[in-house]
Amino acid sequence: MELVILDSAEDIAQRAADVVEDLLRTKPDAVLGTATGSSPLPLYDELVRRYEAGRISFKDVTGFMLDEYVGLPADHPERYSAFMETHLRSRIDMAPGALHGPDALSDDLEAACRDYEAQMARAGYCDLQILGIGTDGHIGFNEPGGALDSVTHVGVLAEQTRRDNARFFDGDLDAVPTHCLTQGLSTIMRARRLLLIATGENKAQAVAHLVDGEVSAQWPATVMQNHPDALVLVDPQAASLLRR
């Protein structure tokens, strides 16, 4: 695992966008894994700028989202499919329908998980998986205590995650869903390269466990230590608790 500390979120976005651009230059039909939340937003803005400048194209790219809330109606603005459509897919030349997510509207959520895992397997899994990290160390919605070898599954959101995400629901904790569909840790680890972005002091403890701690289900992101090609980009605040 390679750790790079950069001065700002903008510097991180530039470095991360370089990784995506290099991938698309060598493999225009790459399979890209996307993450939601605040951390990747500067990256998505930078990718849009590079697309508009003619430097990169997503017209042959297939995308797979990490996760999706269960219990939100199809037109809810905080569904992660809406997030990705707003912040990336609709702003570039990725084909409509090319960015896939787990079907959290299904009447059979377990079957939806199996179908999504099979869809990713048919695509060969991701060439590059973009990741954020929760304050409790989750990646995707793989919460502490879950299996390190999990595949796509129905998850129960930890109270800390729901509190962290309440800001997207006007601060109303009761409005935050309690369940989700998420790629499992084993699914994420099948990506040929992982790119994790973390900014801000509130991510410092999770980053310290990720980099300095032992691999543990209590800090799910630590499974990345076993990946052969993982890049972690952080700012000084997120790196503030690192021992080395």
Side-chain angles (χ1 to χ4, degrees):
M1 185 168 64
E2 179 184 4
L3 171 72
V4 180
I5 303 172
L6 297 166
D7 288 338
S8 67
E10 291 71 26
D11 291 335
I12 290 172
Q14 290 287 335
R15 177 67 179 269
D18 289 344
V19 173
V20 177
E21 184 172 351
D22 289 345
L23 171 64
L24 297 186
R25 185 181 299 114
T26 58
K27 189 176 182 181
D29 60 346
V31 180
L32 182 65
T34 64
T36 54
S38 301
S39 297
L41 288 178
L43 166 60
Y44 295 154
D45 288 341
E46 178 60 25
L47 292 176
V48 171
R49 282 191 288 270
R50 295 188 187 197
Y51 158 69
E52 291 174 342
R55 290 175 57 176
I56 54 176
S57 171
F58 294 82
K59 66 182 181 66
D60 297 319
V61 170
T62 300
F64 287 97
M65 292 166 38
L66 273 171
D67 41 35
E68 182 60 275
Y69 285 122
V70 170
L72 296 181
D75 60 351
H76 197 287
E78 293 304 326
R79 292 191 78 229
Y80 283 160
S81 56
F83 178 102
M84 290 308 310
E85 180 71 14
T86 298
H87 292 289
L88 186 64
R89 211 292 310 167
S90 67
R91 303 170 67 196
I92 55 177
D93 59 344
M94 182 182 284
L99 180 56
H100 307 283
D103 183 8
L105 300 174
S106 173
D107 292 331
D108 188 339
L109 295 177
E110 297 290 348
C113 291
R114 292 192 296 271
D115 290 345
Y116 195 54
E117 187 76 25
Q119 189 178 16
M120 286 182 283
R122 288 193 297 271
Y125 291 97
C126 294
D127 293 296
L128 174 67
Q129 176 64 65
I130 299 165
L131 297 165
I133 187 170
T135 57
D136 61 0
H138 71 254
I139 52 175
F141 269 143
N142 293 279
E143 299 285 20
L148 294 178
D149 60 353
S150 60
V151 295
T152 303
H153 61 278
V154 181
V156 179
L157 297 181
E159 190 71 11
Q160 181 63 52
T161 298
R162 295 181 66 239
R163 285 197 299 268
D164 289 344
N165 288 0
R167 68 188 189 277
F168 300 115
F169 294 82
D170 297 323
D172 183 2
L173 180 61
D174 291 336
V176 182
T178 58
H179 290 73
C180 65
L181 303 187
T182 182
Q183 289 187 32
L185 293 173
S186 177
T187 311
I188 292 170
M189 290 286 283
R190 285 181 176 272
R192 280 164 284 289
R193 191 173 196 190
L194 303 179
L195 171 62
L196 186 143
I197 295 170
T199 56
E201 189 175 2
N202 65 323
K203 300 298 178 70
Q205 185 179 25
V207 168
H209 280 277
L210 167 63
V211 176
D212 291 331
E214 297 180 356
V215 176
S216 167
Q218 294 307 310
W219 293 92
T222 56
V223 73
M224 290 177 57
Q225 295 177 21
N226 295 328
H227 196 280
D229 190 359
L231 175 62
V232 177
L233 303 178
V234 300
D235 65 5
Q237 292 73 35
S240 61
L241 297 181
L242 292 175
R243 297 194 302 269
R244 55 185 172 87

